[in-house]
Amino acid sequence: MKINMRKLSMAIALIAGISANSFAALPPKYLEIKDFKQCLQEKEINSYRIVCMPKKKLAACPRASWKQLNALTENDKIPACVQK
């Protein structure tokens, strides 16, 4: 039985592509919000930094963006910038 190497390599590439994409994560929802960078702060945790929601709206933050960021729920919600 002769194996067509071209078909075999295409099948392997297709399967690898499907399995690689099945584990891909979607980008965070806040990245879709206009001017989100003007509304968020950063907080250092051990050796890395995260974005966090300040308690009050920053002066440069557009009101519409602030409302959208505060409306995020569950896994999309940005953690608060809690001071220790």
Side-chain angles (χ1 to χ4, degrees):
M1 182 162 130
K2 188 175 181 181
I3 298 175
N4 185 332
M5 292 305 286
R6 182 176 171 176
K7 286 183 181 179
L8 179 61
S9 61
M10 288 175 66
I12 291 171
L14 177 63
I15 292 168
I18 291 171
S19 64
N21 288 336
S22 64
F23 294 107
L26 295 174
K29 292 277 187 190
Y30 73 86
L31 294 177
E32 299 173 8
I33 297 172
K34 185 178 181 193
D35 299 323
F36 72 90
K37 289 182 182 180
Q38 297 174 4
C39 301
L40 303 177
Q41 294 179 322
E42 288 187 352
K43 177 169 70 169
E44 190 167 329
I45 299 179
N46 298 323
S47 63
Y48 62 93
R49 298 178 74 76
I50 64 165
V51 293
C52 60
M53 283 290 291
K55 191 171 188 173
K56 295 181 181 179
K57 184 178 89 58
L58 303 175
C61 176
R63 189 170 307 282
S65 301
W66 182 253
K67 281 183 163 185
Q68 288 179 304
L69 289 167
N70 278 293
L72 296 173
T73 60
E74 298 179 19
N75 292 337
D76 296 319
K77 189 172 181 150
I78 300 169
C81 299
V82 180
Q83 301 297 326
K84 291 183 179 180

